[in-house]
């Protein structure tokens, strides 16, 4: 047995929006937003004040690899 196996894991807290992903919606625009190029990684459909809104979500480059790597050593909490 290794001593490190008995130590508690540390917790890594990450902010989801604008850290791990970028998103924009197709609702009313306030200000100028830079849209990523290419298709979104996924689309989230919600209703805001009885109006359907789609959020186009783009993962940051290498986010999957990053999360897979850190989860081996840390507890990951997404905020």
């Amino acid at each position: 047995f290794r001593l490190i196996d008995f130590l508690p894991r540390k917790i890594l807290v990450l902010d989801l929006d604008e850290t791990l992903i970028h998103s924009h919606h197709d609702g009313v625009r306030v200000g100028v937003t830079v849209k990523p190029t290419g298709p979104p990684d996924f689309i989230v459909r919600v209703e805001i004040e009885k109006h359907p809104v789609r959020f186009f979500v783009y993962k940051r480059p290498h986010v999957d690899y990053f999360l897979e790597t850190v989860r081996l050593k840390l507890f990951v909490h997404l905020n």
Side-chain angles (χ1 to χ4, degrees), residues 34-59:
V34 176
K35 293 183 190 176
T37 57
D41 291 297
F42 52 94
I43 299 171
V44 177
R45 291 170 175 82
V46 298
E47 190 173 288
I48 299 175
E49 297 180 0
K50 299 184 181 182
H51 298 286
V53 178
R54 295 178 301 174
F55 283 87
F56 302 92
V57 182
Y58 300 82
K59 294 182 201 176

Side-chain angles (χ1 to χ4, degrees), residues 59-72:
K59 294 182 201 176
R60 295 287 185 187
H62 312 292
V63 70
D64 292 325
Y65 174 76
F66 171 74
L67 290 174
E68 285 296 319
T69 301
V70 297
R71 77 170 185 82
L72 298 175

Side-chain angles (χ1 to χ4, degrees), residues 12-23 57-64 66-67 76-79:
L12 175 63
V13 179
L14 296 168
D15 178 43
L16 183 64
D17 192 35
E18 300 304 331
T19 301
L20 301 177
I21 64 164
H22 172 75
S23 65
V57 182
Y58 300 82
K59 294 182 201 176
R60 295 287 185 187
H62 312 292
V63 70
D64 292 325
F66 171 74
L67 290 174
V76 178
H77 177 80
L78 301 177
N79 232 1

